[in-house]
Amino acid sequence: QVQLVESGGGLVQPGGSLRLSCAASGFTLDYYHIGWFRQAPGKEREGVSCISNSDGSTYYADSVKGRFTISRDNAKNTVYLAMNSLKPEDTAVYYCARRVLMAKGVGVPAQYDYWGQGTQVTVSS
């Protein structure tokens, strides 16, 4: 049974940092690209970052480039999203997902087949 479970969200002040984790089970992590998306109330789900399975290439949305870092630990079957210099506009529910299509860039939700339940990130003073 394929499962993705996010953790690490919370409340943080502007300028602060958080590290999200995505624990995968039921499949071999290093065979797939893994992406992070976020969705704020009243907005569409937005691609944030993605890491490839083969050469470890990473992709970021322009809005987070230079502030967020995606990484993976295949031995632990876990993907991480380190978020620094957080802004109020980063507030959203963050989801990790498995991509079935081997492509460049973060892509769109339709390219991903399994999703976690999400973890809330709130950036506020």
Side-chain angles (χ1 to χ4, degrees), residues 43-110:
K43 294 190 176 181
E44 291 188 354
R45 193 163 294 192
E46 171 192 21
V48 174
S49 183
C50 183
I51 186 165
S52 74
N53 60 323
S54 53
D55 60 2
S57 295
T58 57
Y59 308 98
Y60 299 94
D62 288 342
S63 58
V64 306
K65 206 169 290 184
R67 300 187 299 121
F68 289 12
T69 303
I70 190 171
S71 61
R72 63 193 301 156
D73 185 336
N74 289 336
K76 294 184 178 180
N77 247 27
T78 301
V79 173
Y80 304 97
L81 184 69
M83 306 186 296
N84 298 313
S85 302
L86 283 162
K87 305 175 182 180
E89 51 263 43
D90 294 318
T91 296
V93 177
Y94 283 71
Y95 302 88
C96 64
R98 186 182 79 169
R99 181 154 70 179
V100 293
L101 179 69
M102 301 303 146
K104 293 184 178 180
V106 181
V108 296

Side-chain angles (χ1 to χ4, degrees), residues 23-39:
S25 61
F27 68 100
T28 303
L29 186 69
D30 53 358
Y31 289 174
Y32 294 89
H33 294 193
I34 300 295
W36 284 96
F37 286 74
R38 66 187 182 187
Q39 189 164 20

